[in-house]
Amino acid sequence: MKPPIRAILPSMLAFLAETKKAMLGFLDDFFTEVGEDYGKINRWGPDTLPRLRDFLSGGKMIRGGLVRFTHDMHRGLALGDAVAAGAAMELFQSAFLIHDDIMDRDLVRRGKPSVHAQYRSLCAAEGLRDADRVGEALGICAGDIAIFLAFEILASLRSDPGTACRLLRLFSRELQYVGLAQMADVHNGASDRPISREETLAMYRYKTGRYTFSLPFAAGLVLAGAGEAAVDDFTRLGETLGLLFQIKDDELGIWGREAELGKPVGSDVAE
């Protein structure tokens, strides 16, 4: 007899909390290393890394945790790489959220000012012209930096070259899908054309579903040396979980409370 979900959930949450701690520890060391060069470039080096660290640590870091989850499930031996790849996953997530907040004009994320809103305030305090626009531009740059930091991590994994290349191709292709789905989302938000159920589900699948579940599931399995059949199975499972996740997220975005969401209720739907 299978245990009820309420019996499994506490152990899963404990696992994700433990993995979040490990990923933050990895990122602290990584940021210290790259920060030595960043500090030599200009003032934005010492500014950007702590700001990114604070931003991503405010989330649950579930996507990164799921990389290690399937790695451990498959009895993988690349625990260090699973943690590092999870950290890269969270940097990608942070970049997308930073850019998404700019597109959606959201000034609050996780109960705090969004990154571009932080830069807007900084620019306004310095008396810069058009502080709003400059703040958004700085936010875009910070998100871009997070993406390149993530790829540097993936390029530095200790796994064999074949596994590393397989993982890089996986991340690159899935992140391209996210970009295409985001383009559809932005365009649909400005269009008066009725959006079909199939278009909506496709957007959910590629903007959220595969990226939130399928990608980390597959990444963990690749690092564990799993075959394509297992990766395909978990990719399909991730799509289904992702659709449920996004539908529930939209439901909360309409009827939830701002204190729970960490951003204004209805902002995503309105945009």
Side-chain angles (χ1 to χ4, degrees):
M1 181 176 176
K2 296 180 180 180
I5 189 65
R6 60 178 175 272
I8 299 173
L9 187 58
S11 61
M12 186 64 183
L13 292 176
F15 173 83
L16 291 173
E18 174 195 342
T19 306
K20 175 180 178 178
K21 183 177 179 181
M23 288 187 289
L24 288 175
F26 171 86
L27 286 170
D28 285 340
D29 292 340
F30 176 64
F31 283 178
T32 297
E33 178 185 342
V34 299
E36 294 178 4
D37 286 334
Y38 274 41
K40 301 173 185 177
I41 298 173
N42 57 35
R43 62 175 283 195
W44 302 108
D47 172 278
T48 304
L49 291 176
R51 205 177 292 274
L52 287 174
R53 203 277 188 193
D54 180 69
F55 182 78
L56 64 85
S57 67
K60 299 179 181 67
M61 301 181 73
I62 291 174
R63 291 167 181 81
L66 293 178
V67 175
R68 183 179 160 190
F69 177 70
T70 51
H71 168 272
D72 291 4
M73 176 187 289
H74 202 72
R75 296 182 174 85
L77 301 176
L79 178 58
D81 277 1
V83 171
M89 183 83 232
E90 289 301 322
L91 280 167
F92 287 127
Q93 165 70 355
S94 294
F96 287 155
L97 291 180
I98 291 168
H99 290 166
D100 199 51
D101 285 341
I102 295 171
M103 296 181 212
D104 290 346
R105 301 184 180 93
D106 280 338
L107 301 179
V108 177
R109 169 70 66 175
R110 296 168 179 161
K112 298 180 179 180
S114 52
V115 169
H116 75 282
Q118 295 173 30
Y119 281 125
R120 285 171 57 173
S121 297
L122 177 67
C123 294
E126 293 181 359
L128 268 62
R129 298 187 303 275
D130 201 357
D132 289 357
R133 186 194 66 82
V134 177
E136 290 181 354
L138 291 173
I140 292 171
C141 292
D144 290 346
I145 289 169
I147 292 172
F148 295 127
L149 286 168
F151 274 117
E152 180 174 345
I153 291 173
L154 293 178
S156 303
L157 298 181
R158 298 179 180 179
S159 296
D160 65 89
T163 298
C165 288
R166 187 180 173 197
L167 195 68
L168 280 169
R169 286 195 297 269
L170 173 68
F171 270 94
S172 297
R173 180 57 61 87
E174 290 295 334
L175 297 179
Q176 293 169 47
Y177 294 160
V178 176
L180 293 171
Q182 179 69 7
M183 292 173 73
D185 192 14
V186 171
H187 182 271
N188 291 343
S191 173
D192 293 329
R193 179 180 66 87
I195 309 303
S196 70
R197 179 178 184 271
E198 289 72 24
E199 287 177 293
T200 300
L201 290 177
M203 184 181 67
Y204 284 177
R205 179 175 294 110
Y206 291 104
K207 180 182 174 181
T208 302
R210 292 178 63 97
Y211 165 67
T212 300
F213 293 97
S214 299
L215 175 55
F217 280 170
L221 289 170
V222 167
L223 286 170
E228 289 300 328
V231 173
D232 289 345
D233 285 344
F234 271 84
T235 296
R236 288 193 296 271
L237 172 63
E239 285 190 5
T240 301
L241 290 172
L243 290 175
L244 295 171
F245 176 88
Q246 186 58 60
I247 291 168
K248 186 63 177 179
D249 186 64
D250 282 352
E251 177 186 324
L252 291 172
I254 299 172
W255 290 288
R257 293 186 299 173
E258 184 169 340
E260 296 173 339
L261 298 176
K263 60 181 180 179
V265 172
S267 60
D268 289 341
V269 176
E271 185 61 30

